[in-house]
Amino acid sequence: MIRNATPEDLPRLLELGEAMHAESRYSIMNFDREKVAGLLTTLMTTDTGFLMVAEKDGRIIGGFAGIVSEHWFSHDKLASDIALFIEQDARGGMTAPRLLRAFLAWADGHGVKVKDIGVNTGIHTNQTGRLYEKLGGKLAGLLYSFEGV
């Protein structure tokens, strides 16, 4: 089941977010639970924030965070992902597609002209890209990291 996140979900979302962070290329950076909790609370309580969870048998197994904002050069709206995180044992099924479709539908309801979703954690990059393409996404750019340069 996909549903809106609630404040009661924060402990589990922090747990999933921290696990995703630990396996990502960003693990060299600190994970600040207080900062993440503040961001997730903001996403839950503002019209321009998106935070939904996926549940299986009453347990949260994933989440998707996103936002709508104006593009830097325009007053037109842009929807962007902040994070997609799914428990390792729940990956490869329908959880990610359902969360993604919910986000895209939400963005459409906000009159968004452009919806951008990235793959930059270093976790299953190719598989995630194929999923996004299967759901209608088109490759629109590349990301280059200069760690250690």
Side-chain angles (χ1 to χ4, degrees):
M1 172 174 75
I2 305 298
R3 63 169 176 80
N4 289 320
T6 66
E8 292 76 26
D9 299 328
L10 277 176
R12 178 65 177 145
L13 290 171
L14 288 169
E15 182 181 313
L16 287 171
E18 194 163 15
M20 186 260 307
H21 168 266
E23 71 175 297
S24 78
R25 69 185 191 88
Y26 294 110
S27 64
I28 62 171
M29 300 171 73
N30 292 325
F31 185 87
D32 186 324
R33 291 177 69 88
E34 187 175 317
K35 179 175 183 169
V36 175
L39 171 63
L40 296 180
T41 299
T42 298
L43 295 175
M44 280 188 261
T45 58
T46 62
D47 185 51
T48 57
F50 177 90
L51 184 60
M52 294 194 91
V53 297
E55 279 186 330
K56 183 176 181 182
D57 301 325
R59 177 176 166 79
I60 295 173
I61 60 170
F64 192 106
I67 193 164
V68 166
S69 62
E70 292 182 353
H71 207 292
W72 70 271
F73 58 78
S74 174
H75 292 286
D76 290 332
K77 295 178 184 176
L78 164 77
S80 301
D81 69 311
I82 294 173
L84 168 63
F85 38 90
I86 299 176
E87 190 174 71
Q88 285 187 5
D89 294 343
R91 295 178 187 164
M94 293 305 297
T95 303
R98 287 181 179 140
L99 286 165
L100 180 60
R101 285 187 190 110
F103 175 70
L104 295 173
W106 173 82
D108 286 341
H110 279 74
V112 167
K113 291 188 175 185
V114 175
K115 295 168 267 193
D116 286 340
I117 299 174
V119 183
N120 62 2
T121 61
I123 304 169
H124 305 297
T125 302
N126 293 330
Q127 297 94 319
T128 305
R130 283 194 298 273
L131 169 64
Y132 291 172
E133 289 174 359
K134 191 175 189 180
L135 295 173
K138 293 175 179 55
L139 185 61
L142 300 170
L143 175 74
Y144 294 88
S145 177
F146 290 86
E147 293 172 33
V149 175

